[in-house]
């Protein structure tokens, strides 16, 4: 979240920044960097949520539990989020149907909070069985999309990327790169696609909001010149 | 009407009524809601406070049974957690041992060596204790808690803590419970100390664990005064066997009886530990909270246009939070106890409930018309959004209801809380927040009124009539009334670098922050790593005393015995010894002085403080002990059995026997009390040092603050800003942009578009296409005088409101349809109304002028031939087109059907003798006069100079509306006028330039007191009184001033500057109308000229070039090209030149260097009019709006929309008055815009 607040600070049209920000390439790079950091941050935190509760009261090495996943997981999540976050406004632009629903940072924050909540639920709440867990998470994810997105393109992209990511995860697990403790859907957990979907929607939301900022700045620049 | 619509209407009506209610009785409703919040939160008091402190429950030992898992019928005072067996039973054997009687031959190590040594025999005893009865043989091995491996991270403790066996800890663990290892240990304290953690530790140390009592109570120290060693042997049992424990207790008591022991042994203490939150769980928790705060921040940031943003944001947060509390309270009231971790689900609950409704409500209320009553505004705002609010609430309830049917207990509970929270949130929104909002809105109204009061008070005479035409702001959904932009950032375009650095430092308070952070870090480092060596100093002090340190400090070994008095430790003791008699003995006896001080034997006493010794330990002792073996105590409990007291009395012989050979090598300190004093003393020193450092630091920070911070920091910086405004071209302190709402004052009355605009600060004269001239009060916007086109009518009224809706058909004939022909009727009407006629100058129309040719068509043709870019930029609009239009409107009027007025009264003051030059009829207008329109107008003093298209120059009294003088020397239309002091310069269409002198002829009696009416005697800004007879004489006419029509005429500083189509600029001296310079340099017609009192002259041409000239020498200072197309307007400030062009670009140039600083691209069709209010505030006219710009940074500060239908009508003329008001034309209306903050600044 520091990243996003930093993002707003950075993007605020201020004097010499204007030239930098209105430069399209620079802007894309900045947005990509922000999205990347958001992705890395979320990956670390959510991974921590997924790590089962350690019974020890004094974990011998706290830092290692933060980075308990393999080193390549956060960068992968970061790159994926940068890609998705840039892709969403792009697709909006291509399809010519700009996203109109509640384009505010507060809404984006709400979306992120709900996303973390979904992760929380998947990690902490005890469900009777996996089907129930997966169905609940799926319903939550759809609810997230309906509340914060409601665009067909968003849904399509979300489903597509979720399926792709699930496939990639399956392949990774199949090749033994890593492993789930209690797989129930081939090699992975069945709630994984729902999480992926919700994550894509969230990152897309952030990406659109950032892109909106660029639009504003560009407009202002035209106005100023 | 469908059900839905009916429902919607009903809801809307209900909300409306509710809004009225809330706004009517704000205080009772706020009180009521507060009371209900408190009532609903009352059950929360029963809930345990969150925290990780353990909870204690005590039961008797005799009838103890393991509690059942299921709660029993009679729960009684049993706590919730007291179910099932505990993790472990803790049996402690509390050992107090002393060597008694104490002997002078003993060394300090003897205080604890032999008592600790006895632990091994006790351990042996406990281990080997066997209880045999009918059910079998029971030993400790079968009952105790078996532990396995230590945690991987605790390898270094492997040798100390037991593994793969009974969890039994005692001080003997330091020596692996082996007596021979203990005997071989030469330095017991070192062994004990080496496992102490370095630095600060808040958790339990190993020493506390093994000794089982606090460090201070162990007595394992060289300087113990009591000489009693206390430690415990702690046994963790997995099952409770009262008989075994009873026999063990009896056995130990029998072996080591404690005579005076009063410890109670009939109570068992159960300690329940709360869940502990590790860092691994803290990070996601913190993340969710950060997201929550970001959400709240971004949400409340949207609250706008209210009196107190912070207040409303607080109210919104309070609404959400108290609804959550109410939800938890209500759920508790109805028997639902929360099982979820409140801290974890709280952010999600807030997010689910959300702040959206509150924001929607605020927005809706704020967007209602401002002029309504507060009550009605609230009611309207509520009812406007009622449907969407209800829909939102229903949707959320539906979603949560769906969640309830997932049948997952956790989610169900969450949903239950959310539902109750939503309902209570709705309740609070409706009652609490709405009321707070109404209070806020009311406050804003009051503040608004207060702000406007001075303006009302400044009115010359309050009218009883209706209010003046104040434009109510349009509803924001159509066009936002004001666009409030962010304050300009600190950007420097021209500041020198060093100033920039200083400003940057001052603005970010960087120095202070760095100092602050540095201080904190420094203190942290000081405390932790101790770079100043305080701790090592202390340690050295201590180790010099202790025998342990001497091995490491051999030089002292040799020194100390030789110079006992010179021992550094004793020199440090400045405190007088309490027993001075001992000191000589100390010196004489040397090192064997110990015995004198403690001749008495140590007493072992058992007090109540021993009973609950476990309480003195850190609360984390037990969790940490168990956590070493990966056993969590979170949400579980342990049972602590009553301690078994053991008293050991050891004889001195035993103590001496158990001595290690090295123990005696270290001599005891000469004065055993000294170390304490030393410690105390050092502590005092450290404290004093710290205090001094703190004071110094505070002083230093204060000085730095005074140096680096502005003096009035925190006091809005107003006086400061005023002080420094002169030398700072930046606005960081001096200028606060006008963020307050600016509402334009619309001056209505003209029936057609306004053509000319003139002002002298006090008065404002405007002329419309219909030829009607109106004079307004520039302060209040009241219409003072109306001068109709034909010059016959004038209306002097105190207020223009009566005429705002146009012309009264009785008193004010429509000038479009009625020309001179209606003069008679008009007069009749005036007479019927009883208007005084005495001041009216009625121009008669002698018949000899009838055959004079009408020049209007010629002029008109001539004018319309001009390309649009050649129009005079002073007026800044398509002159030809307007004239054309006016002409077409005038043409059908029956101008020639006019009959001379039969009742032309004489002028009121026919003092012919005073003015021999002047004819009795000062003006004898020809027939063209009725069709000629005013092309140029100037206002000075209270005289309006109007130049007509017929070439006639008229002077009107602005206050009374009477024609004072008229000059018809020229026949070519006057395109531009300049009125300076008593001179009027008129530029004509044929390129000639006429200089007129206005002479005031006093009435006879007054003439002698005045000097000769010459040019030198005139005051700089004459005020022509109505008694004066004014004469306007053509003093000189420069026939061929320019080859082509003169487009611009400006006069200032005694110079008249003309610009023409012939690419030249000419400078004339005003006094003698002598041409000083002809400035050549433009490659196109001159379109704009700027000259001010400081003799700066700038000209802009059709070629887009801007030239700066030196008026004294006539040389060109700089020449820049900035616009594609004509330069339409030019303004200078002391530091820069601002130009606007046909390409809708506003360029700002540095005046001295001619470098373009920046440019502002405006919307199409804007930018013809410019004005500078102050050094840093530029105002431009746009399409139906005026915009304020910060000149230093080029930021748009504010855009003020002049009316609701702002489209289509551009602001073509813009005048900046001296009181920082802006007058601009807006179609047929004038708009007077006050810039309040600038007013404050200019005072």
């Amino acid at each position: 979240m520091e990243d996003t607040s930093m993002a707003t600070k950075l993007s605020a049209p201020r004097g010499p920044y204007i030239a930098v920000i209105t430069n399209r390439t620079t802007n894309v790079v900045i947005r990509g960097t922000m999205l990347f950091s958001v992705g890395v941050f979320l990956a670390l935190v959510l991974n921590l949520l997924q790590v089962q509760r350690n019974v020890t009261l004094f974990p011998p090495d706290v830092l290692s539990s933060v980075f308990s996943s393999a080193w390549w997981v956060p960068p992968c999540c970061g790159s994926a989020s940068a890609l998705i976050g840039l892709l969403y406004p792009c697709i909006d632009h291509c399809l010519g149907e700009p996203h109109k629903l509640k384009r505010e940072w507060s809404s984006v924050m709400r979306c992120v909070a709900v996303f973390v909540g979904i992760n929380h639920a998947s990690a902490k709440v005890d469900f009777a069985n996996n089907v129930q867990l997966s169905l609940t998470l799926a319903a939550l994810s759809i609810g997230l999309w309906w509340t914060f997105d409601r665009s067909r393109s968003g849904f399509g992209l979300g489903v597509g990327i979720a399926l792709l990511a699930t496939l990639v995860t399956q392949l990774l697990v199949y090749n033994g790169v890593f492993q789930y403790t209690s797989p129930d859907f081939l090699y992975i957990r069945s709630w994984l696609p729902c999480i992926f979907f919700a994550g894509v929607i969230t990152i897309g939301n952030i990406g659109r909001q950032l892109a909106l900022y660029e639009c504003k700045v560009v407009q202002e620049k035209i106005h100023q010149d | 009407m469908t059900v839905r619509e009916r429902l919607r209407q009903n809801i809307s009506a209900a909300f409306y009524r509710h809004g009225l209610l809330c706004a009517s009785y704000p205080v009772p409703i706020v009180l009521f809601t507060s009371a209900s919040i408190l009532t609903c939160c009352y059950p929360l008091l029963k809930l345990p406070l969150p925290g990780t402190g353990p909870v204690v429950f005590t039961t008797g030992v005799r009838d103890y049974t393991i509690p059942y898992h299921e709660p029993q019928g009679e729960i009684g005072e049993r706590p919730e957690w007291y179910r099932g067996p505990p993790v472990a039973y803790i049996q402690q054997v509390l050992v107090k041992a002393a060597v008694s009687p104490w002997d002078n031959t003993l060394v300090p190590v003897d205080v604890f060596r032999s008592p600790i040594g006895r632990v091994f025999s006790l351990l042996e005893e406990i281990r080997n204790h066997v209880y045999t009865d009918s059910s079998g043989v029971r030993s400790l091995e079968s009952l105790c808690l078996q532990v396995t491996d230590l945690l991987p991270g605790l390898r270094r403790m492997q040798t100390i803590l037991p593994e793969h066996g009974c969890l039994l800890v005692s001080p003997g663990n330091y020596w692996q419970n082996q007596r021979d290892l203990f005997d071989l240990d030469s330095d017991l304290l070192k062994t004990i100390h080496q496992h102490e953690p370095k630095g600060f530790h808040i958790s339990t140390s190993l020493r506390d664990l093994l000794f089982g009592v606090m460090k201070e109570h162990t007595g394992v120290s060289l300087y113990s005064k009591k000489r009693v060693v206390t430690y415990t042997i702690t046994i963790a049992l997995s099952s409770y066997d009262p008989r075994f424990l009873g026999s063990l207790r009896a056995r130990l008591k029998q072996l080591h009886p404690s005579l005076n022991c009063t410890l109670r042994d009939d109570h068992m203490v159960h300690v329940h530990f709360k869940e502990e939150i590790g860092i691994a769980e803290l990070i996601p928790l913190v993340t969710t909270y950060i997201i929550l705060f970001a959400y709240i921040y971004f949400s409340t940031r949207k609250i706008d246009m209210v009196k107190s943003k912070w207040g409303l944001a607080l109210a919104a947060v309070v609404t959400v939070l108290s609804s959550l509390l109410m939800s938890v309270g209500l759920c508790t009231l109805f028997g639902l106890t929360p099982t979820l971790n409140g801290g974890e689900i709280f952010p999600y609950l807030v997010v689910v409930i959300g702040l959206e409704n509150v924001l929607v409500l605020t927005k809706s209320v704020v967007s209602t018309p401002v002029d309504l009553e507060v009550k009605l505004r609230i009611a309207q705002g509520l009812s406007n959004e009622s449907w969407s609010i209800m829909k939102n609430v229903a949707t959320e309830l539906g979603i949560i209801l769906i969640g309830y049917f997932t049948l997952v207990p956790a989610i169900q509970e969450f949903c239950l809380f959310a539902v109750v929270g939503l309902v209570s949130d709705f309740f609070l929104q409706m009652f609490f927040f709405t009321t707070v909002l109404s209070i806020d809105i009311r406050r804003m109204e009051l503040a608004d009124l207060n702000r406007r009061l001075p303006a009302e008070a400044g009115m010359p005479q309050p009218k009883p009539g209706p209010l003046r035409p104040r434009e109510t702001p349009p509803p924001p959904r159509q066009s936002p009334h004001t666009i409030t932009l962010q304050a300009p950032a600190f950007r420097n375009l021209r500041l020198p670098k060093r100033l920039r650095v200083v400003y940057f430092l001052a603005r970010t308070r960087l120095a202070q922050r760095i100092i602050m952070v540095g201080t904190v870090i420094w203190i942290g480092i000081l405390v932790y790593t101790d770079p100043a060596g305080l701790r090592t100093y202390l340690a050295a002090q201590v180790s010099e005393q202790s025998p342990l340190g001497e091995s490491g400090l051999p030089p002292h070994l040799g020194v100390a015995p030789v110079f006992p008095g010179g021992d550094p430790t004793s020199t440090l003791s400045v405190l007088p010894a309490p027993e001075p008699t001992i000191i000589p003995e100390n010196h004489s006896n040397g090192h064997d002085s110990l015995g004198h001080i403690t001749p008495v034997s140590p007493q072992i006493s058992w007090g109540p403080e021993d009973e609950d010794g476990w309480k003195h330990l850190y609360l984390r002792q037990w969790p940490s002990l168990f956590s070493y073996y990966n056993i969590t105590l979170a949400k579980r409990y342990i049972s602590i059995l009553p301690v078994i007291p053991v008293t050991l009395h050891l004889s001195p012989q035993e103590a001496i026997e158990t001595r290690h050979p090295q123990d005696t090598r270290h001599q005891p300190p000469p004065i055993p009390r000294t170390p304490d004093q030393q410690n105390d003393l050092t502590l005092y020193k450290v404290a004093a040092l710290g205090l001094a450092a703190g004071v110094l630091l505070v002083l230093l920070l204060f000085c730095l603050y005074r140096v680096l911070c502005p003096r009035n920091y925190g006091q809005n910086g107003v006086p400061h800003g005023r002080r420094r405004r002169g030398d700072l071209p930046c606005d960081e302190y001096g200028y606060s942009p006008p963020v307050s709402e600016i509402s334009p004052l619309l001056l209505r009355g003209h029936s057609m578009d306004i053509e000319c605009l003139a002002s002298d600060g006090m008065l404002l004269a405007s002329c419309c296409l219909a030829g009607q001239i109106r004079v307004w009060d520039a302060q209040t916007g009241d219409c003072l005088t109306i001068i109709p086109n034909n010059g016959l009518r004038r209306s002097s009224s105190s207020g223009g409101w009566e005429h705002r809706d146009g012309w009264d058909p009785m008193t004010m004939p429509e000038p479009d349809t009625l020309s001179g022909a209606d003069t008679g009727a008009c007069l009749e009407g005036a007479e019927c109304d009883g208007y005084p006629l005495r001041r009216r100058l009625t121009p008669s129309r002698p018949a000899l002028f009838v055959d004079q040719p009408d020049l209007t068509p010629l002029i008109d043709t001539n004018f319309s031939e001009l390309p649009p870019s050649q129009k005079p930029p002073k007026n800044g609009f398509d002159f030809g087109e307007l004239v054309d239009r006016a002409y077409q409107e005038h043409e059908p009027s029956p101008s020639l059907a006019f009959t001379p007025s039969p009742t032309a009264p004489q002028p009121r003051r026919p003092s012919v003798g005073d003015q021999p030059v002047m004819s009795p009829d000062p003006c004898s207008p020809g027939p063209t006069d009725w069709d000629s329109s005013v092309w140029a107008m100037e206002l000075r003093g209270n005289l309006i100079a109007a130049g007509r298209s017929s070439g006639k120059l008229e002077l009107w009294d602005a206050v009374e509306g009477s024609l004072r003088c008229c000059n018809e020397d020229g026949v070519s239309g006057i395109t531009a006028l300049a009125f300076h002091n008593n001179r009027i310069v008129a530029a004509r269409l044929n390129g000639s330039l006429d200089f007129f002198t206005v002479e005031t002829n006093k009435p006879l009696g007054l003439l002698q007191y005045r000097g000769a009416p010459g040019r030198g005697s005139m005051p700089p800004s004459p005020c022509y009184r109505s008694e004066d007879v004014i004469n306007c004489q053509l003093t000189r006419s420069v026939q061929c001033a320019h080859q082509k029509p003169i487009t611009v005429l400006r006069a200032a500083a005694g110079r008249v500057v003309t610009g023409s189509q012939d690419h030249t600029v000419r400078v004339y001296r005003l006094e003698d109308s002598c041409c000083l310079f002809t400035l050549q340099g433009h490659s196109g017609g001159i379109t704009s000229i700027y000259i001010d009192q400081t003799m700066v002259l700038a000209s802009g041409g059709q070629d887009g070039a801007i030239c700066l000239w030196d008026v004294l020498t006539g040389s060109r200072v700089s020449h820049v090209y900035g616009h594609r197309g004509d330069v339409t307007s030019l303004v200078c400030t002391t530091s820069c030149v601002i130009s606007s062009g046909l390409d809708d670009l506003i360029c700002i140039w540095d005046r001295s260097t001619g470098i373009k600083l920046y440019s502002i691209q405006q919307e199409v069709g804007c930018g013809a009019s410019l004005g500078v209010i102050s050094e840093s505030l530029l105002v431009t006219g746009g399409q139906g709006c005026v915009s304020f710009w910060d000149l230093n940074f080029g930021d748009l500060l504010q855009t003020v929309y002049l009316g609701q239908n702002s489209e289509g009508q551009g602001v073509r003329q813009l005048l900046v008055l001296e009181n920082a008001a802006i007058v601009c034309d807006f179609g047929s209306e004038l708009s007077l815009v006050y810039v309040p903050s600038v007013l404050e600044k200019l005072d």
Side-chain angles (χ1 to χ4, degrees), chain B residues 147-152 155 158 162-165 627-630:
Chain B
V147 290
T148 54
D149 285 333
L150 279 169
L151 275 186
R155 291 292 171 212
Q158 233 170 359
E163 262 187 316
H164 302 287
S627 72
Y628 291 155
Y629 300 97
N630 207 356

Side-chain angles (χ1 to χ4, degrees), chain B residues 186 224 323 419 898 978 987 1037:
Chain B
S186 64
S224 158
S323 68
V419 165
F898 176 78
S1037 179

